[in-house]
Amino acid sequence: MRNIRLPAHVAFIMDGNGRWAKKHFRPRGYGHKMGVQNMIKLCSHAFKLGVKIVTVYALSTENLSRPQEELDGIYDLFRSYFQKQKGKIQELGVRVNVMGDLTPLHEDVRGLLLETMRDTAVNAPNGLLNLCINYGARQEIIQAVNHAVAFGRFVDENSFKSLLYSAGMPDPDLIIRTGGEVRLSNFLLYQAAYTELYFSNKMWPEFSRRDLEKALVNYSQRDRRFGNVKKG
Ligand code: FPP
């Protein structure tokens, strides 16, 4: 992994937990549990390799219409991750930021997320971890438009960006989606204008460190022109 051009910002669409669980004759909730473990493992690995920002799609606005039982299981995973595994988050040495509309979440879960953001706001030398929770790109864009209207001002690309959840961050260089589907599913639609996309047929819980490295090598070989012509 040495001497390759690494992306500064990698985002993950962690798809396939449910199918992975089914394949192993386990309930969907077990797939999410293993999914969180893999998320921690891969985020740590990405930061260790030198990636500065990792963004994960933990729950979309559309996911909120899943059966209550599945959602309750995911909320319990949030509780366990942010409460019982506080140490692991501190160990990562990263700032945790949440992107999304937290208002419909249970109050205790919302409290834990806000507390984690506050506790990790300083002394986070290893980078930034964005958790997209009840996140949807269309909702994010509409919210930004409404803010601009409320301020009574026209926007340009820079001022509009400052109204998004990702204000102040560089766009993702690479989005990795597992689970075999080839789409963005309402994830970072504004920010992904020139993002490189990588799709894997592996289900999220089985996407390994080695698979991540393969994706990073693949990224390093791409020619990013941003609409320009090749130089030299
Ligand atoms: C996609 O798999 C996964 C989700 C909708 C939820 C992912 C959530 C987590 C891994 C929890 C994140 C937790 C923390 C602590 C941030 P799917 O259920 O859509 O899989 P399928 O397509 O195979 O059904």
Side-chain angles (χ1 to χ4, degrees):
M1 290 304 294
R2 255 178 247 155
N3 299 329
I4 69 161
R5 184 173 47 91
L6 272 180
H9 183 177
V10 176
F12 291 112
I13 303 179
M14 311 183 285
D15 195 16
N17 292 342
R19 279 165 290 159
W20 180 86
K22 195 170 174 200
K23 208 165 76 184
H24 290 83
F25 308 102
R26 303 297 293 260
R28 292 180 62 79
Y30 183 71
H32 293 316
K33 188 170 169 202
M34 300 313 279
V36 175
Q37 283 187 15
N38 207 34
M39 181 192 91
I40 298 168
K41 188 174 97 182
L42 290 187
C43 291
S44 311
H45 194 55
F47 287 121
K48 213 169 88 193
L49 292 173
V51 172
K52 296 295 173 218
I53 305 178
V54 177
T55 300
V56 297
Y57 205 3
L59 203 63
S60 70
T61 44
E62 292 76 19
N63 288 155
L64 250 64
S65 42
R66 288 194 177 194
Q68 197 53 45
E69 192 191 336
E70 180 169 348
L71 286 176
D72 285 343
I74 292 179
Y75 292 143
D76 277 347
L77 285 174
F78 287 160
R79 287 187 184 96
S80 137
Y81 179 66
F82 293 108
Q83 207 163 31
K84 296 191 199 121
Q85 304 201 32
K86 254 188 181 169
K88 272 200 182 147
I89 303 176
Q90 302 291 354
E91 257 171 53
L92 271 180
V94 296
R95 178 159 77 85
V96 175
N97 177 48
V98 180
M99 293 168 46
D101 175 15
L102 300 186
T103 39
L105 300 188
H106 294 186
E107 207 178 317
D108 67 316
V109 174
R110 193 168 55 240
L112 276 171
L113 293 170
L114 296 174
E115 192 182 307
T116 308
M117 282 202 275
R118 204 185 46 227
D119 291 353
T120 61
V122 288
N123 194 19
N126 296 341
L128 170 64
L129 173 62
N130 290 308
L131 304 172
C132 298
I133 295 177
N134 192 24
Y135 171 87
R138 288 182 173 176
Q139 177 264 337
E140 176 185 40
I141 291 167
I142 289 167
Q143 178 176 281
V145 169
N146 284 331
H147 278 137
V149 170
F151 298 146
R153 61 172 208 233
F154 288 104
V155 287
D156 57 19
E157 282 193 20
N158 278 332
S159 58
F160 189 70
K161 271 180 132 177
S162 73
L163 299 172
L164 299 172
Y165 291 123
S166 55
M169 291 172 211
D171 291 338
D173 298 295
L174 174 66
I175 292 180
I176 298 175
R177 180 178 188 145
T178 58
E181 314 288 0
V182 184
R183 55 177 171 257
L184 284 177
S185 299
N186 204 14
F187 187 48
L188 303 176
L189 296 184
Y190 189 84
Q191 298 87 338
Y194 279 98
T195 299
E196 298 296 323
L197 307 177
Y198 183 92
F199 297 97
S200 166
N201 285 328
K202 288 216 177 163
M203 301 298 127
W204 175 253
E206 64 194 6
F207 192 73
S208 65
R209 290 188 186 97
R210 180 78 199 95
D211 293 322
L212 171 61
E213 290 176 6
K214 251 169 62 185
L216 297 177
V217 170
N218 179 287
Y219 167 86
S220 74
Q221 292 161 348
R222 298 202 190 173
D223 178 23
R224 300 188 76 192
R225 294 190 299 281
F226 299 94
N228 208 331
V229 287
K230 198 172 178 150
K231 295 200 178 77

